[in-house]
Amino acid sequence: QVQLVESGGGFVLPGGSLRLSCAASGRTASTYAMAWFRQLPGKEREFVAANTWGGRKTYYEYYADAVKGRFTVSRANDGNAIDLQMYRLKPEDTAIYYCAAGLKRPFEIPQSYNSWGQGTQVTVSS
């Protein structure tokens, strides 16, 4: 089982930037898909971005349309950590952000992941 710990998040003005980090421990996550989801109270968990293993040291990035061009997901060299750099943040980006790791497909749905972090709050407001 992979354990995930997130850091980062906080309060930012619209147009600002934040960086979230997620570190994996327990067993190596280098061949796992690692992803970010976000969730508002009473709403379903929503896909944000994923970094998936493509064999050897190749990783691929995928983004939800709502964040494409504003968010960047990156993987540590050993494959056991993932960052989400968020630029030009909007109030609608406000949510609890969760890191996830898993081996199933499709990678855009929460059911494909069996390891989750505790979540970190991101608030975008003036």
Side-chain angles (χ1 to χ4, degrees), residues 37-93:
F37 287 78
R38 63 189 182 186
Q39 189 171 26
L40 286 170
K43 297 287 185 76
E44 292 188 355
R45 206 160 283 193
E46 174 189 45
F47 171 74
V48 175
N51 184 290
T52 64
W53 185 62
R56 300 177 71 93
K57 292 192 175 183
T58 301
Y59 292 96
Y60 299 101
E61 302 169 12
Y62 301 92
Y63 299 93
D65 288 343
V67 306
K68 201 172 292 183
R70 298 189 297 121
F71 291 11
T72 300
V73 63
S74 58
R75 194 87 171 234
N77 286 338
D78 66 359
N80 287 309
I82 187 173
D83 284 354
L84 183 69
Q85 179 67 54
M86 303 182 290
Y87 299 100
R88 301 195 305 276
L89 282 159
K90 305 175 182 180
E92 51 263 43
D93 294 318

Side-chain angles (χ1 to χ4, degrees), residues 12-18 70 86-91 93 123-126:
V12 66
L13 296 173
S17 301
L18 278 176
R70 298 189 297 121
M86 303 182 290
Y87 299 100
R88 301 195 305 276
L89 282 159
K90 305 175 182 180
D93 294 318
T123 303
V124 185
S125 176
S126 56

